[in-house]
Amino acid sequence: MAELSKTDEAVDAPAEVIEEKALEAFAAPVERGEPILQVRNLVKHFPLTKGILMKRQIGAVKAVDGVSFDLYQGETLGIVGESGCGKSTVAKLLMLLETATSGEVFYKGQDITKLSGRALKAVRRNIQMVFQDPYTSLNPRMTVGDIIGEPFEIHPEVAPKGDRRRKVQELLDVVGLNPEYINRYPHQFSGGQRQRIGIARGLALNPEIIICDEPVSALDVSVQAQVINLMEKLQDEFNLSYIFIAHDLSIVRHISDRVGVMYLGKMAEIGTDTQIYDHPTHPYTQALLSAVPVPDPEVREQRERIILTGDVPSPANPPSGCRFRTRCWKAEDRCATEEPLLAIPTRFKGKDTPAAHVSACHFAEEKAILAV
Amino acid sequence: MTTSHITAERPAAAPGDDETPVLEVRDLHVEFKTREGIVRAVNGVNYSVRSGETLAVLGESGSGKSVTAQAIMGILDSPPGRVSKGEILFRGQDILKLSEEERRKLRGPKMAMIFQDALSALNPVFSVGNQLGEMFRVHQGMSKKDATAKAVELMDRVKIPAAKARVNDYPHQFSGGMRQRIMIAMALALEPDLIIADEPTTALDVTVQAQVMDLLAELQQEYAMGLILITHDLGVVADVADKIAVMYAGRIVEQSPIHELYKRPAHPYTRGLLDSIPRLDQKGQELYAIKGLPPNLLKPPAGCAFNPRCPKAQDICRTDVPALVPVTEQDGAELVGRTSACHFWKEQIHG
């Protein structure tokens, strides 16, 4: 943490100095296993307004409400949660596509939420994104060559003009497409192939972090596995760190080193894949895991299923205290008044058990779940 | 033998064999005329559903699973689509021979459909009470007031909280799970004999998906309806279905009781689908992936449609279309309800 506080000291320094310092930090490599991205208390509130001329704010949709986590170099962090829990907003905040209401995102120790100019451009080069829907995330009027080559227009230092065509063909080859397809349009490709184009575009600038927002959910089952394999191969080849957002828990388990579970704008539980899937301590994680349809009728008959009642509450008006209490079977009075912190539960503290990982529940305990 | 005790465990699934099925599809062919040529979306599909039974139809997009359902319901876009051959027997009667008016009378009281995307399937400018009540007003000539009362009752049935207060709400005021419940309520309204659910939970989150599937299974048991569940998710199928038909490129490639299929698939495509699900012990390894892409139905491959992607393809697969044949034990003993359309099903199932 000592490294992180440096940015606070530099707040008064002139913008150029901050910029220089940030650029210097971004150029330095990060050792494998060291944190490359540290998110602290990230908050995004979308204002709700009333009136046409005189817009008054009457509230806010608390899409992300204090999320903290680390991403280590070379690892895959999976983020799971139901729709509306804020996982895609987190992705947009990390990409700096949305401005955070408060909180910090440290990339290599530098807070990137307040950057501008050259330093911001450098961050954007190093953090790239792969989108969910390969049908709408590619411009139908651009050829594949233009789509994948467009990042080079903005960052010409990566590939000089004469070299771009060759670079694009190389990228097509890397993602398993025929380099001769460079002049084709997106509609001439299938869903899986389009997602490969999206991945090639994400790789174009040799980024260090790729944020994947539901990269395979729009694809057919038999094609999903191909894309997942490709992503794993690329991670090894280019030493990438992934943030993998998805709602398919079995795929997240397959690809992730660590998994974070989000509920209504907050992290409910974070741990390694074994900790989360085999030793979940937060009731929401347990319910989520037990609800996953297991593709094996015999396992299905043995397992206990926790069926949650009701829907996710509105993020514009979240419940007091613990946000999950309205659907939780363990909820007591304490849950309504006191918000549980994301910390290692006291009962597991200092113990050498897989259950000793951070979990935001007052009554965190293990429950045997036949996981996916 | 394993098969016998499994069927014994689930008596509800196997009503008397002599009973005629609610629905029987025989050699159904559906084609679409397009500018590029004729797309044969369904090429000879056979299946049947009894009352109280759940048939899952599994397939990727473009496999013809939804088109088959649309043909059964009589809501095929035609033109360009048309049923070129085959029979659809509803309680023994070929409904393809009925007039449009007679078919309209079947939809609702006899068979109903639940669509995938409830938000676009419901009309945004009418309240849900109005849309639910429409079933009673149109088919039973009920008064508006009675129909609304019925709508409230139905919303209670599908466990929508505060049904009375919400009956005049519009579809956008409900959450995804609640909208899907309204779709289910609408399908159930006239207590049909057959419900076709086309990917009913694909657009929902897992926790809500579990709620909705449970509700559907419960109501199906209660009304003893036949249910055709169309899906691409092997997980959802395992949870509720009694038997399963796997479709590929407009044909059924394998049919089987649910337990059997997962234990030993008799078609390489099914095997591939099962293998491509990430499993615990494969962490860190490459996932098995079926290579290639689903075929273009304008130019389906010669022979078995799966042959370009099949790891076991031989010369015969490239020339001869395999028929859907009964699958037997190694000693020739019959396996009830199992068929496979693979030249090498013996090798596939018995290793």
Side-chain angles (χ1 to χ4, degrees), chain B residues 38-69:
Chain B
I38 291 171
V39 176
R40 295 194 171 79
V42 178
N43 293 309
V45 162
N46 292 286
Y47 57 59
S48 67
V49 198
R50 295 168 191 285
S51 12
E53 188 179 52
T54 303
L55 165 75
V57 180
L58 184 86
E60 297 177 270
S61 45
S63 62
K65 54 193 197 306
S66 295
V67 172
T68 314

Side-chain angles (χ1 to χ4, degrees), chain B residues 101-325:
Chain B
E101 186 54 29
E102 284 168 312
R103 293 213 58 184
R104 200 178 71 81
K105 284 193 177 129
L106 281 181
R107 284 193 290 267
K110 298 290 176 204
M111 52 170 79
M113 189 155 172
I114 300 168
F115 297 91
Q116 175 180 158
D117 183 0
L119 190 59
S120 45
L122 292 167
N123 192 330
V125 301
F126 291 108
S127 70
V128 296
N130 183 318
Q131 292 182 61
L132 283 169
E134 190 181 2
M135 301 288 280
F136 299 102
R137 292 198 310 273
V138 172
H139 285 283
Q140 299 182 345
M142 225 179 240
S143 74
K144 224 173 175 176
K145 201 175 139 214
D146 291 346
T148 311
K150 274 277 191 193
V152 174
E153 208 175 284
L154 273 173
M155 285 167 75
D156 265 331
R157 288 257 11 149
V158 295
K159 298 175 187 153
I160 295 177
K164 204 160 191 171
R166 304 210 66 181
V167 69
N168 291 321
D169 281 1
Y170 289 84
H172 73 269
Q173 292 169 295
F174 290 84
S175 67
M178 287 298 147
R179 277 198 289 265
Q180 203 61 39
R181 281 163 198 266
I182 291 163
M183 290 295 299
I184 294 175
M186 203 179 271
L188 279 175
L190 302 172
E191 300 183 15
D193 302 333
L194 174 75
I195 286 197
I196 302 174
D198 190 357
E199 308 251 6
T201 58
T202 309
L204 305 177
D205 283 314
V206 274
T207 56
V208 181
Q209 174 176 311
Q211 291 171 9
V212 170
M213 283 320 293
D214 265 28
L215 174 75
L216 197 60
E218 188 191 313
L219 294 168
Q220 187 219 359
Q221 285 296 318
E222 197 181 316
Y223 293 113
M225 301 172 299
L227 176 66
I228 299 178
L229 180 72
I230 298 172
T231 180
H232 66 265
D233 188 331
L234 280 159
V236 171
V237 174
D239 268 2
V240 291
D242 300 308
K243 60 180 188 182
I244 185 166
V246 182
M247 284 190 74
Y248 188 80
R251 300 189 67 212
I252 291 183
V253 293
E254 178 166 10
Q255 269 185 312
S256 164
I258 191 79
H259 281 73
E260 282 277 300
L261 184 95
Y262 287 82
K263 227 180 282 160
R264 25 174 214 179
H267 196 281
Y269 175 61
T270 323
R271 167 96 267 166
L273 281 184
L274 286 169
D275 285 348
S276 60
I277 300 169
R279 278 205 328 267
L280 247 185
D281 47 344
Q282 291 175 327
K283 174 93 184 171
Q285 295 171 26
E286 198 166 275
L287 275 178
Y288 175 82
I290 302 177
K291 59 179 187 189
L293 302 165
N296 178 353
L297 290 175
L298 271 170
K299 305 188 274 292
C304 171
F306 188 58
N307 84 64
R309 305 176 76 188
C310 183
K312 296 201 172 77
Q314 311 272 331
D315 287 343
I316 184 174
C317 304
R318 289 175 200 108
T319 50
D320 293 12
V321 178
L324 192 65
V325 293

Side-chain angles (χ1 to χ4, degrees), chain A residues 82 222 226 256 300 308 311, chain B residues 60 207 211 238-239 283 290:
Chain A
E82 291 173 276
S222 72
Q226 295 174 2
S256 305
R300 169 203 72 169
L308 292 176
D311 287 310
Chain B
E60 297 177 270
T207 56
Q211 291 171 9
D239 268 2
K283 174 93 184 171
I290 302 177

Side-chain angles (χ1 to χ4, degrees), chain B residues 74-124:
Chain B
I75 53 171
L76 206 60
D77 277 336
S78 55
R82 102 192 156 85
V83 177
S84 51
K85 201 174 150 194
E87 291 176 320
I88 299 172
L89 304 179
F90 182 78
R91 295 225 175 273
Q93 187 190 17
D94 186 2
I95 56 173
L96 289 176
K97 296 203 172 73
L98 298 180
S99 71
E100 193 43 49
E101 186 54 29
E102 284 168 312
R103 293 213 58 184
R104 200 178 71 81
K105 284 193 177 129
L106 281 181
R107 284 193 290 267
K110 298 290 176 204
M111 52 170 79
M113 189 155 172
I114 300 168
F115 297 91
Q116 175 180 158
D117 183 0
L119 190 59
S120 45
L122 292 167
N123 192 330

Side-chain angles (χ1 to χ4, degrees), chain A residues 26 35 61 67 95 99 153 180 227 243 280 311 361:
Chain A
F26 296 159
V61 173
V67 164
M95 287 297 295
T99 325
E153 305 265 322
E180 283 161 25
V227 173
I243 290 188
D311 287 310
C361 178

Side-chain angles (χ1 to χ4, degrees), chain A residues 186-248:
Chain A
H187 73 262
Q188 294 171 293
F189 294 92
S190 72
Q193 288 175 320
R194 285 185 210 205
Q195 201 55 299
R196 286 170 195 264
I197 297 168
I199 293 172
R201 176 174 61 183
L203 284 175
L205 299 173
N206 306 321
E208 292 174 315
I209 301 170
I210 294 190
I211 295 166
C212 319
D213 190 359
E214 306 258 13
V216 295
S217 24
L219 305 178
D220 266 323
V221 195
S222 72
V223 181
Q224 279 186 1
Q226 295 174 2
V227 173
I228 291 287
N229 284 341
L230 170 70
M231 293 185 65
E232 290 198 302
K233 189 192 100 189
L234 295 174
Q235 181 167 37
D236 292 344
E237 211 171 311
F238 298 100
N239 197 17
L240 300 165
S241 314
Y242 285 147
I243 290 188
F244 193 93
I245 297 172
H247 66 263
D248 185 329

